[in-house]
Amino acid sequence: METSTRKTVEVGGGAEGAGVAGGAGGAGVAEVGGGAEAGGLGGGAGGAGAGHVDHPHVQQAFGRVRKFVTAYGVVGVAVFVVVVALAVAGHEVTSFMWGRAGGMLGSAAAAYWFTVLAARGARWAYVRVRIISVVVPIAIIAISGIPGALPPWFVAVQIAGALALVPAAVIVNRSEMRAAFPIGGVRK
């Protein structure tokens, strides 16, 4: 059994997900993209331990967050499809509308990806989900409030999408979710 306090970080690995291993004496290996064979989340005796990410309540919460982010994504796809249809039909579509529609679609894809990775234990992804779920609705509502910049239907749909992220923000910022990703925890 290794009793060293040296920590090793490896990047790469298998598709099984990130794992944190720990041995007696506090030694640990963090593999980004590594397998659960390395010890899984929580590590062995004396390991670093990533918290409670595997707890059923945390996983259920991430399931709900994925649903809200998916709803935001569906609204984003709908907005983008309508903008494309309007452009094809010869209606005026401003570059601002293209940018807003594309931005909504892109941020939805990123938020979903970060949510999936966070549910697997990646603290960096969890932090990004927290940021996106709070900042994006505020930004959408603020920019949509610019008088005359966007058609009323576009503003209404954008705000509806933003409101889909609000419950996700509430869920990911709960104390039990934050406890699952301790600040001094291992980065994956």
Side-chain angles (χ1 to χ4, degrees), residues 28-172:
V29 176
E31 294 182 10
V32 178
E37 310 83 35
L41 294 170
H52 314 285
V53 176
D54 288 332
H55 192 279
H57 290 125
V58 173
Q59 288 301 310
Q60 289 171 356
F62 274 121
R64 289 191 304 274
V65 170
R66 273 193 299 272
K67 289 178 184 173
F68 289 119
V69 171
T70 299
Y72 172 67
V74 167
V75 173
V77 168
V79 168
F80 195 78
V81 167
V82 169
V83 168
V84 168
L86 287 173
V88 168
H91 295 284
E92 180 184 355
V93 177
T94 66
S95 59
F96 192 53
M97 289 173 67
W98 279 110
R100 298 281 295 161
M104 189 172 188
L105 193 57
S107 66
Y112 190 85
W113 181 58
F114 292 144
T115 302
V116 169
L117 294 178
R120 293 179 185 168
R123 185 181 193 288
W124 66 269
Y126 169 69
V127 170
R128 282 155 182 81
V129 171
R130 286 183 69 193
I131 292 168
I132 289 171
S133 65
V134 171
V135 172
V136 167
I138 293 168
I140 288 174
I141 291 169
I143 293 171
S144 295
I146 298 172
L150 297 165
W153 69 267
F154 195 91
V155 170
V157 175
Q158 289 262 299
I159 290 174
L163 293 177
L165 280 182
V166 171
V170 171
I171 293 168
V172 297

Side-chain angles (χ1 to χ4, degrees), residues 9-38:
V9 177
E10 297 178 12
V11 179
E16 298 84 20
V20 177
V29 176
E31 294 182 10
V32 178
E37 310 83 35

